């Protein structure tokens, strides 16, 4: 690691730790006693620290990972009898998890970038990649994500739950031994039940796609095969059709899913053997559900499993709200005709990949049907005016037509969020070799005439279709089983999505392909060079994202600390607004 890169990483750690510690201090000074669900969490943690392992609070629905973590940290204090343990101590143990987040986020971002350089990942095509300075900047932004940052100061499960999922993801990206991936998955299950989806379905799905792509390195699936050619190649050669998102149409998502399924069936041993640890994790969770008689541990009456497909409508405007600085170029390129936009502000893949009418209309119809038949409102949502979702649903339910008018917004938000994973197609630099649009191999399966293999004027970037399919499957499985809508439930889906966002260079697309690679240490030999990287190649959206997150964190923090109110039924007790 070059000195300048090490200095930037250290600065990122210090900045996140400073901001998290400051927020923790403000909360502790203003709200020293347990607040809301902290009452149950702190009480349960005290039972474990005091050795009462047979006591379980019936109001707690999540596994005991948070309390076990605090118990381990409390061992030295208990051994030397430093005195009673108060709420502050338990909040500090949770803050410890927050201070580890920059480490795992940075490692994931650099692992993704390195894999991208080698063009080996399920979501890699390394024509355009983030610079190291941008990766460090993105890591800071991710740690400032408002629904996550807010809980740095409270004793909730969300921070450590997200951290353990990211640790498992990092181990997968680094190709660590299956045992360590399995162990990380088991630890993650101790913090939240839905983590089972992310450490088994999501990572297992990525492992399946990777095993298919690496199965036949001696043959190639052509760039734009017909459906029949794709099926033949998938069955005869176990190949999968997996185009970059920036080049994919709606049909490509269907074709890719079918292609991977057929390729897996054609070579079961290659496809399934790497999935062993993920199957064991999924079986472990299934056994727990059977033993427990349900997903949640306590309060089963108010947390009944249900099919709530509307969750997959709400997740998209949530992403747009928090990540507007990242997604606004895609929205602008759709809302405004390209002829009215400056050339430097056009994303070449945006309008050309906009869903066509014969596909958009059925999708909107399905979304409308979900809004009509499956809009579930949990009693807790409208009974507790301390949460922001209370006010959102008050608006949605104000008039019967509002939930239908929101459907086009869901559709546009979903398109923008997925398009951002693909980045943009950028102008080809004269010195670059023509890219090969490969599904997973190196020898063509059909003949093409010379006119069809000329160097394309644009190069793809960002994730591939298979990553979107796996991520969508995991997100759906983790959300649709709960009728309660909370921003906290969107934290892990957002983190995985945000970690895989592709860069764009609206100010100079011709320079995008020459962005410094993180593997090129010569880019990091001096601070002067780092300054050049920040100003010459830095994606401007990162600065906007930093400002946006700081504004939201400051606003929600101020409201929580200074805008308390009282309920008539609980006089003298301060109620506070929170996520």
């Amino acid at each position: 690691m070059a000195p300048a890169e090490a200095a930037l990483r250290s600065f990122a750690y210090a900045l996140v730790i400073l901001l998290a510690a400051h927020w923790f201090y403000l909360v502790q000074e203003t709200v020293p006693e347990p607040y809301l669900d902290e009452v149950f969490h702190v009480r349960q943690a005290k039972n474990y620290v005091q050795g009462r392992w047979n006591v379980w609070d019936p109001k707690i629905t999540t596994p005991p990972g948070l309390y076990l973590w605090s118990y381990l940290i409390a061992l030295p204090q208990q051994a030397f009898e430093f005195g009673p343990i108060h709420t502050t101590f338990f909040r500090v143990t949770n803050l410890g998890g927050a201070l580890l987040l920059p480490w795992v986020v940075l490692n994931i971002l650099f692992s993704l970038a390195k894999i991208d350089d080698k063009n080996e990942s399920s979501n890699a095509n390394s024509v355009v990649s983030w610079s190291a300075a941008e990766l460090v900047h993105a890591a800071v932004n991710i740690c400032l994500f408002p629904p996550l940052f807010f809980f740095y100061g409270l004793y909730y499960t969300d921070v450590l739950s997200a951290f353990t999922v990211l640790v498992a993801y990092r181990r997968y990206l680094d190709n660590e031994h299956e045992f360590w991936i399995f162990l990380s998955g088991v630890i993650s299950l101790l913090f939240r039940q839905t983590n089972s989806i992310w450490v088994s379905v999501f990572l297992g799905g990525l492992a399946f796609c990777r095993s298919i792509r690496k199965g036949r390195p001696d043959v190639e699936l052509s760039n734009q095969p017909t459906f029949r050619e794709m099926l033949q190649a998938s069955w005869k050669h176990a190949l999968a059709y997996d185009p970059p998102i920036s080049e994919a149409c709606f049909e490509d998502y269907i074709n890719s899913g079918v292609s991977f399924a057929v390729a897996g069936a054609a070579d079961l041993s290659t496809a399934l053997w790497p999935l062993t640890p993920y199957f064991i994790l999924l079986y472990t969770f299934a056994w727990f559900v059977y033993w427990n008689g349900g997903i949640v541990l306590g309060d089963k009456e108010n947390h009944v499993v249900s099919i709530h497909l509307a969750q997959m409508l709400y997740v998209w405007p949530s992403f747009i709200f928090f990540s507007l600085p990242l997604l606004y170029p895609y929205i602008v390129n759709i809302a405004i005709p390209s002829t009215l936009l400056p050339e430097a502000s056009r994303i070449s893949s945006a309008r050309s990949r906009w869903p066509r009418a014969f596909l958009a209309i059925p999708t909107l119809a399905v979304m409308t049907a979900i809004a009509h038949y499956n809009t579930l409102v949990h009693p807790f949502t409208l009974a507790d005016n301390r949460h922001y979702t209370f006010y959102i649903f008050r608006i949605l339910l104000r008039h019967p037509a509002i939930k239908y008018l929101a459907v086009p917004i869901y559709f546009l938000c979903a398109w923008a969020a997925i398009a951002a994973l693909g980045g943009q197609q950028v102008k080809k630099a004269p010195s670059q070799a023509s890219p090969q649009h490969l599904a997973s191999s190196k020898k063509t399966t059909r003949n093409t005439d010379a006119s069809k293999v000329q160097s394309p004027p644009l190069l793809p970037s960002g994730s591939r279709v298979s990553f979107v399919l796996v991520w969508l499957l995991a997100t759906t499985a983790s959300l649709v089983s709960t009728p309660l809508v909370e921003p906290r439930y969107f934290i892990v889906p957002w983190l995985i999505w945000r970690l895989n966002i592709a860069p764009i260079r609206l100010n100079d697309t011709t320079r995008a392909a020459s962005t410094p690679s993180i593997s090129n240490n010569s880019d990091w030999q001096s601070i002067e060079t780092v300054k050049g990287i920040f100003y010459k190649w830095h994606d401007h959206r990162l600065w906007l994202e930093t400002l946006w997150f700081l504004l939201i964190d400051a606003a929600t923090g101020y409201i929580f600390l200074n805008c308390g109110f009282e309920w008539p039924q609980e006089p003298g007790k301060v109620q506070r607004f929170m996520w």
Side-chain angles (χ1 to χ4, degrees), residues 132-142 534 538-539 542-543 545-546:
E134 289 174 318
L135 294 176
V136 174
H137 193 168
V140 173
N141 288 352
I142 290 170
F534 265 109
H538 214 72
D539 192 328
L542 294 174
W543 299 109
E545 184 183 38
T546 302

Side-chain angles (χ1 to χ4, degrees), residues 3 34 62 270 434 469 471 514:
T62 53
T270 299
S434 301
L469 293 176
W471 176 78
S514 63

Side-chain angles (χ1 to χ4, degrees), residues 85-285:
I85 297 178
H86 299 289
T87 302
T88 303
F89 170 81
F90 294 112
R91 287 176 175 172
V92 168
T93 64
N94 191 59
L95 180 65
L99 302 185
L100 293 172
L101 269 175
W103 166 77
V104 69
V105 169
L106 271 169
N107 277 302
I108 289 175
L109 287 171
F110 275 79
S111 293
L112 284 168
K114 289 174 182 177
I115 293 172
D116 197 39
D117 283 340
K118 297 175 183 177
N119 198 23
E120 295 174 353
S121 141
S122 63
N123 56 325
N125 195 319
S126 62
V127 175
V128 182
S129 60
W130 297 101
S131 68
E134 289 174 318
L135 294 176
V136 174
H137 193 168
V140 173
N141 288 352
I142 290 170
C143 293
L144 295 178
F145 180 51
L148 187 63
F149 184 86
F150 183 87
F151 291 101
Y152 293 169
L154 298 172
Y155 191 59
Y156 273 66
T157 61
D158 301 271
V159 175
L160 285 166
S161 171
F163 171 75
T164 55
V165 171
L166 294 184
V167 169
Y169 187 31
R170 184 194 68 83
R171 292 190 183 280
Y172 162 80
L173 292 173
D174 290 346
N175 283 311
E176 295 192 16
H177 193 275
E178 286 83 358
F179 171 78
W180 296 113
I181 298 176
F182 173 77
L183 181 61
S184 298
V186 170
I187 293 174
S188 183
L189 291 179
L190 293 175
F191 288 88
R192 181 161 289 172
Q193 294 91 324
T194 52
N195 287 353
S196 64
I197 303 299
W198 294 101
V199 298
S200 59
V201 176
F202 175 68
L203 296 185
L206 293 183
F208 170 78
C209 295
R210 184 164 64 182
S211 66
I212 293 296
R213 276 190 306 275
K214 290 185 175 181
R216 292 295 303 272
D218 57 328
V219 286
E220 169 187 303
L221 186 62
S222 58
N223 184 29
Q224 293 181 333
T226 64
F227 188 76
R228 180 179 179 181
E229 290 170 334
M230 183 199 71
L231 287 180
Q232 289 177 341
S234 298
W235 180 253
K236 292 182 179 179
H237 304 288
L239 297 180
Y241 178 59
D242 194 14
I245 297 171
S246 59
E247 296 182 343
C249 295
F250 183 84
E251 306 95 288
D252 290 315
Y253 291 87
I254 299 175
N255 293 343
S256 182
V258 172
S259 178
F260 272 101
V262 173
D267 192 358
L268 282 176
S269 60
T270 299
L272 297 183
W273 176 249
L275 304 185
T276 303
Y278 309 105
F279 281 136
I280 296 175
L281 284 170
L282 198 58
Y283 172 80
T284 302
F285 177 69

Side-chain angles (χ1 to χ4, degrees), residues 483-536:
L484 190 60
V485 180
E486 289 193 25
R488 295 187 298 140
Y489 298 162
F490 301 153
I491 289 177
V492 173
W494 182 89
L495 286 172
I496 301 297
W497 172 82
R498 176 61 186 85
L499 287 164
N500 288 275
I501 288 292
I504 60 174
R505 318 285 177 193
L506 290 180
N507 59 331
D508 188 354
T509 56
T510 60
R511 190 170 54 205
S514 63
T515 302
S517 167
I518 64 123
S519 60
N520 187 358
N521 287 330
S522 64
D523 295 325
W524 294 93
Q525 296 306 312
S526 67
I527 295 297
E528 288 73 18
T529 303
V530 174
K531 289 180 181 178
I533 292 173
F534 265 109
Y535 291 107
K536 187 177 181 181

Side-chain angles (χ1 to χ4, degrees), residues 338-361:
S338 57
T339 54
L340 300 180
L341 287 173
E343 185 176 357
S345 299
R346 300 173 190 170
I347 300 179
S348 59
S349 62
R351 188 170 294 276
S352 62
R353 299 305 167 189
W354 178 246
R356 287 154 289 175
F358 80 96
L359 294 171
I361 292 174

